[in-house]
Amino acid sequence: MTDALIRDWDAHLAHEKRRSEHTRRAYIATAERFCGFLSRHRGGAVDARMLKALTSNDLRAYLADRRAEGLGNASAARELSALRGFLRFIGGTNASVPQMRGPRVKKGLPRPVSPAEALQLAHDVEDNAREGWVGARDFALLLLLYGAGLRIGEALSLTGAVMPLGDTLRVIGKRNKARVVPILPAVAAAVSGYVVACPWPIAKDAPLFLGARGGPLQPGVVRASVRSARRALGLPERTTPHALRHSFATHLLAGGVDLRSLQELLGHASLASTQVYTAVDAAHLLDIYRSAHPRA
């Protein structure tokens, strides 16, 4: 019964809510953990009737159990949000979901890497690849993240139909929202170089970025390469593929791009999501001041 409910919710997230595959995996994993906890906490099978009868005490007990496993405030808040959505789906349109205050989360600022660090990272990943074409692929992918502000999922969803790259690229972002981003000549050249070097044919309707065996490239492979490179270069742990997108936004803002234009380039649904970069830019300038001013 529980498996069927979770499968139905997954379908709802995919088709009705248009959530990304990454988000769906996280939400489904949370629902599965929660139902497993309930079977121990309450005893017996977990079904729709039990889920509709839950109280805030059940949610608190679950979060306490997860806290004992080392779950932090931000992760606990995300799990609580996922569970509310799950229980609303189970209960239907007029469902009464147990209310409880989520953990207080201090909103952190994304910390950008410098242009030199971004290029250094991409070159190190390229140099240490096990095959030349794999290095060309990873270098091109990381340049797309930094040079065009793409999310890693957006880059990996590109197909061979985008080739040859021109001055702009149409990207499908979250919730199937399309946007057009400019492509720098260096980025286009890197992607073209990868396509030429790739030993696998890249069809118009197939993924642009391919794995070692010719299938779609998985984001975990890219993250692992970046993790190794940042350790070798002594870069901070915040230097992730997604940090390159933050750097793209911060450097454009520092160069005078207005918030509305930046919102369009990043594909943010709300300007509030983009406004965080004004604080990032201020923090970046403060870092420069502190390192350069004799009395800082």
Side-chain angles (χ1 to χ4, degrees):
M1 180 65 176
T2 305
D3 290 343
L5 292 173
I6 292 178
R7 281 197 304 271
D8 289 344
W9 191 44
D10 188 25
H12 172 73
L13 291 172
H15 303 302
E16 302 296 328
K17 294 296 186 180
R18 295 190 295 176
R19 296 292 189 255
S20 70
E21 183 180 352
H22 175 77
T23 298
R24 281 167 35 221
R25 280 200 304 267
Y27 279 23
I28 294 306
T30 296
E32 289 173 341
R33 279 193 297 268
F34 183 57
C35 290
F37 167 80
L38 288 176
S39 66
R40 302 188 306 271
H41 179 63
R42 285 201 164 205
V46 177
D47 55 18
R49 176 179 291 184
M50 176 191 287
L51 291 170
K52 291 177 183 179
L54 295 179
T55 69
S56 57
N57 288 335
D58 295 303
L59 293 180
R60 288 193 186 93
Y62 170 72
L63 289 181
D65 187 69
R66 293 285 285 139
R67 289 302 194 109
E69 297 174 354
L71 193 72
N73 278 7
S75 297
R78 285 193 296 269
E79 292 216 355
L80 181 58
S81 176
L83 291 177
R84 284 171 176 155
F86 178 54
L87 295 177
R88 273 194 297 271
F89 171 74
I90 297 300
T93 305
N94 299 317
S96 177
V97 177
Q99 297 297 310
M100 63 171 289
R101 187 186 298 274
R104 184 182 296 273
V105 179
K106 183 179 180 181
K107 192 174 180 68
L109 295 177
R111 302 295 291 176
V113 296
S114 70
E117 288 172 336
L119 288 177
Q120 189 180 26
L121 180 75
H123 280 301
D124 192 83
V125 168
E126 178 184 27
D127 293 342
N128 288 285
R130 58 190 173 189
E131 296 183 59
W133 78 269
V134 171
R137 177 200 69 193
D138 293 349
F139 180 74
L141 177 60
L142 294 179
L143 281 198
L144 262 178
L145 304 187
Y146 175 62
L150 271 61
R151 301 176 178 93
I152 189 169
E154 293 170 345
L156 294 181
S157 69
L158 295 175
T159 67
V162 304
M163 299 302 296
L165 286 179
D167 295 333
T168 60
L169 174 66
R170 186 173 183 268
V171 179
I172 304 299
K174 288 186 174 181
R175 304 189 183 184
N176 288 329
K177 181 181 179 183
R179 71 183 189 278
V180 175
V181 297
I183 297 297
L184 298 171
V187 176
V191 176
S192 297
Y194 149 66
V195 170
V196 170
C198 183
W200 306 98
I202 300 176
K204 293 289 185 183
D205 58 350
L208 173 62
F209 291 102
L210 301 177
R213 297 182 180 180
L217 178 62
Q218 299 301 312
V221 174
V222 183
R223 293 190 181 102
S225 297
V226 169
R227 191 160 51 243
S228 297
R230 78 175 180 230
R231 288 171 180 167
L233 296 171
L235 297 176
E237 289 190 4
R238 67 172 185 268
T239 309
T240 63
H242 198 65
L244 297 177
R245 174 174 155 89
H246 290 318
S247 301
F248 164 85
T250 304
H251 299 157
L252 282 183
L253 188 63
V257 171
D258 64 273
L259 279 176
R260 283 292 181 188
S261 298
L262 187 58
Q263 178 189 5
E264 290 296 323
L265 289 172
L266 293 173
H268 285 160
S270 168
L271 186 62
S273 300
T274 313
Q275 286 175 328
V276 67
Y277 289 103
T278 60
V280 173
D281 190 48
H284 180 58
L285 291 176
L286 187 58
D287 287 344
I288 295 174
Y289 168 79
R290 286 172 173 163
S291 63
H293 197 285
R295 294 189 178 275

